[in-house]
Amino acid sequence: MSDSQSVSFSDSPHNRQTSNNNPTIPIEIVSEEEMALLEAALAATRSSFSSSDIPSICSPSPSSQFQMNARCVSSITLLSKRGLSCCSRPDIEDFGGTQKRNRVPESLLQRFRKNRALSVTDFTNTEWCEKQTEFSLLFGKRKVNKAMKAGSVRHAKLEEEIVKKVKVRVKSAEDIWALKFLNFITGANQLQFEGLTRELPLIGFVEGVWLVGVMDEIRLPLSETNRCPVLVDTKTRVRDTLPAEPQRRNGRLQLMCYKYLWDSLVAEKFSSRQFFEFFSLDPYYLLCEEIHLSTVSSGFPAKTLNDVVRFFRNTCSMFLPAHEQLLLRYELQKDNSVLAEDHFTYDPDWLKSQLQRCLEFWLGEREASFVPEEEQWKCHYCQFAYMCPATSKPDSMPSPEKTNTDGTPS
């Protein structure tokens, strides 16, 4: 069965032709977002549960399907580990023998990212608030407000300045992953020849899990002896004010994750065998005709996914690790003017500690934590505030127009 994917293809920079002395905009292959969160989590809110731990979920208030008391909400993590059974009867394992009661609970990673990679966004969302991340997994993603849509439009325009998207029909998971790697190869070629690329997909094995992300922008100083790529991320703001420190910290974590992934790739730490095994992919699967033709026009004809991965690894080996100095840009939404540029230094020890703490949550090694007291202002911008035990005044939540692209206060 074939599946139409919204993707784009990029000609190899050295193969581009010009017309009337005007350079042709390069084209890049990109695939759509990875699989959406399980829709079963949404349905679970409408299901009946009779376990003594969750009395209020059985009869949601007509005003909201998420209304529940504090006792119920404090059991959310327990529910996530039990699998949110939709049966009306209590699970026999809840009342079984010692072996049943002591069984290993299912982690959020197993439930919502099984055989899939975590994303950089998964980590930054967790760092922002673990409880909000847990609610999002169980009850659906955060609502997209006007500011978020405006931010997405801005990033799309930045990408369109240097790439052009075209649709490609794919037939398998192998085809989709081939597009992701082609995306990287063509973007990396553009970086090598033109000194700039955007929306570059990255993948790596981090602290025992696979991690993926899409880098906003990478710059390569073409005239300097130091050819270390500079990683840049753009944040848009509703108001002409700088973000609070927790927001800047979250942005720094995001960029450091990208540097970690980039540096791992260029250091040739990508394991093809481990990649194929984890994602259950056939390395010798014959790619669909459209993708094969795309590789031919790019100058590296590939017939199988393994061919594409080999070209991918060769491309990675041509670059140096990213610059230690990273850049966060803050733009005003109404006119795209630059409010500030935050230059900061990569801190591998801090990054590792943050990743390990996030993974403790994802692997079910501990319960989801609430934000610290000094950061509880975040709760006023959270759509789950009314159902969270950490929130005492849910009615104080501001309107969506007062938040930024990531749902944080403006």
Side-chain angles (χ1 to χ4, degrees), residues 115-182:
N115 299 325
R116 294 174 54 195
L118 283 172
S119 68
V120 171
T121 301
D122 287 328
F123 276 121
T124 56
N125 287 346
T126 304
E127 191 276 337
W128 181 257
C129 178
E130 292 181 2
K131 204 65 181 177
Q132 183 187 73
T133 301
E134 183 180 60
F135 284 142
S136 297
L137 291 170
L138 296 174
F139 303 130
K141 292 183 179 181
R142 290 182 299 167
K143 298 176 182 178
V144 178
N145 57 43
K146 293 181 180 179
M148 294 179 184
K149 292 179 181 179
S152 298
V153 170
R154 174 56 179 161
H155 280 84
K157 288 183 178 179
L158 288 172
E159 182 183 9
E160 290 172 359
E161 290 178 359
I162 60 174
V163 299
K164 180 181 179 181
K165 292 183 178 181
V166 295
K167 286 187 177 181
V168 175
R169 187 172 296 275
V170 297
K171 299 180 179 179
S172 67
E174 284 81 2
D175 287 337
I176 294 175
W177 275 106
L179 288 177
K180 295 179 186 292
F181 290 122
L182 288 174

Side-chain angles (χ1 to χ4, degrees), residues 323-341:
H323 202 287
E324 293 293 308
Q325 287 293 115
L326 305 173
L327 174 60
L328 272 174
R329 297 177 68 256
Y330 295 98
E331 288 186 357
L332 185 62
Q333 281 190 1
K334 67 178 181 180
D335 58 7
N336 300 327
S337 60
V338 178
L339 293 174
E341 291 191 340

Side-chain angles (χ1 to χ4, degrees), residues 39-52:
E39 294 182 355
L42 290 173
T45 63
R46 298 186 294 270
S47 301
S48 294
F49 298 84
S50 59
S51 172
S52 59

Side-chain angles (χ1 to χ4, degrees), residues 16-70:
R16 299 191 192 116
Q17 298 180 356
T18 59
S19 175
N20 299 326
N21 297 323
N22 292 323
T24 302
I25 296 178
I27 305 172
E28 178 190 11
I29 291 188
V30 294
S31 64
E32 290 188 342
E33 281 290 334
E34 302 210 68
M35 295 172 61
L37 292 174
L38 296 177
E39 294 182 355
L42 290 173
T45 63
R46 298 186 294 270
S47 301
S48 294
F49 298 84
S50 59
S51 172
S52 59
D53 291 290
I54 48 172
S56 62
I57 293 187
C58 298
S59 302
S61 170
S63 61
S64 171
Q65 63 179 357
F66 294 135
Q67 289 293 341
M68 57 182 71
N69 56 33

Side-chain angles (χ1 to χ4, degrees), residues 18 40 50 77 82-83 157 164 168 190 203 208 214 222 227 231 245 255 262 280 290 314-315 324 348 351 379:
T18 59
S50 59
T77 302
R82 288 182 179 171
K157 288 183 178 179
K164 180 181 179 181
V168 175
Q190 184 180 41
I203 181 173
V214 180
L222 299 179
R227 298 270 289 173
L231 306 188
E245 171 55 29
L255 262 179
W262 173 272
S280 301
E290 288 187 60
N314 289 340
T315 302
E324 293 293 308
L351 173 64
C379 302

Side-chain angles (χ1 to χ4, degrees), residues 197-208:
T197 193
R198 290 177 179 146
E199 300 300 316
L200 190 75
L202 301 172
I203 181 173
F205 197 67
V206 178
E207 297 295 323

